Amino acid sequence: MTVISTRTFEVDKTQLTKTRVTRQDVDQDLGPDQLLLKVDKFALTANNISYALTGDSLGYWRFFPAKDNWGRIPAMGFAEVIASNCRGIETGERVWGFLPMASHVKITAGKITPFGFTDVSPHRAELAPVYASFERVKANPFYREENEDYEMLLRGLFTTSWLVDDFMFDHQYFSAGQYLITSASSKTSIALAFAVRERGELPALGITSMANRAFVESLGCYDQVISYDEITSLDATKASILVDMAGSGKILKQIHQHFNNQLRYSCRIGATHHNALFTGGDLPGAKPTFFFAPSQIQKRSQDWGREQLMTSLGQALMRYLAFAQSVLGIAYSRGEDEIDSVYQDILSGRANADVGHIISMWQQ
């Protein structure tokens, strides 16, 4: 029996600033249909913090279960199959999907196609299939090796943002005339503003901190950019859609009270202001509603067929990646000693908005 030593980054689910790296010996003798993946690299963004904050309510802690009160935050990344007991999946194959922030992960493969497969491990049985899917890189016509880092950073959140805009379009924008997008400097917000501008039907108004205002304006994605202390200066008679990436109870309440019934839809996605989260309660205007991307994916798969959906998404992503490479830099961190520093910066909001972080648990 060959044994390998794995390393996994974990956070305390009750105190997200508390972290550790656990080590575990895993044997390479696999059960039926099992694969052992070596996690090459993954992206760490504010989106991952949102996964942690909604880990219980939306099931993210169940992706890769840990012991006691510890949790493993899923991340988008690339991995290599280093051991396989699954017919049709060979060692050496490169895959893309949700991975733990770790050196390795063992999964059970099912629903295998030429394009990918799904982790059918029992703990993932009730989770949305899209989150359990792994893509076979060699089968993706839009894959480019030179785009890997930007794809890890942006593909998942761009997909969410593209689906938000598609959802709003599908509902005729709830008769609204503009988007209001909080935490406008976040990568998910930028992706949404890009998708909105590409469609060209509604203006996008970005709301951000004074510290990030110049950066957000420089992107050219938003039709207007204001700071949080300027919310009450907006025209409250204009029917609006709010897409809230900040999650701040104070900001959400202020926008709802200012626009009142002219706020036609209130879409909650992120939680960049996680220290002051909205905890519920009645607000004027539309009821704040979490956006669940898999539901819109399922609808459009039925409307258009999965191939057409993936083609439309892939083409839009390629255009977005080309744009992102002109405005977003990459910072690389290697080894288990560096991951906590990057995580704490993103958790606290200290991370620079114009930098994306790529992490590997491997020194080389």
Side-chain angles (χ1 to χ4, degrees), residues 9-10 15 55 64 67 117 150 185 201 208 246 267 269 298:
F9 180 75
E10 297 181 347
Q15 186 181 347
F64 308 104
K67 295 180 179 180
F117 52 86
Y150 284 93
S185 67
E201 295 196 359
T208 188
C267 180
I269 297 181
Q298 184 178 17

Side-chain angles (χ1 to χ4, degrees), residues 323-338:
F323 162 77
Q325 289 176 25
S326 69
V327 299
L328 183 66
I330 300 287
Y332 299 94
S333 300
R334 292 189 172 274
E336 61 191 70
D337 295 334
E338 296 186 14

Side-chain angles (χ1 to χ4, degrees), residues 136-154:
R136 308 175 89 160
V137 166
K138 64 184 179 183
N140 179 2
F142 299 105
Y143 170 79
R144 304 289 185 274
E145 184 178 358
E146 63 270 21
N147 285 344
E148 276 196 353
D149 294 337
Y150 284 93
E151 191 165 342
M152 284 185 291
L153 280 166
L154 303 173

Side-chain angles (χ1 to χ4, degrees), residues 267-281:
C267 180
R268 299 187 65 194
I269 297 181
T272 59
H273 295 205
H274 60 87
N275 289 323
L277 292 178
F278 175 66
T279 56

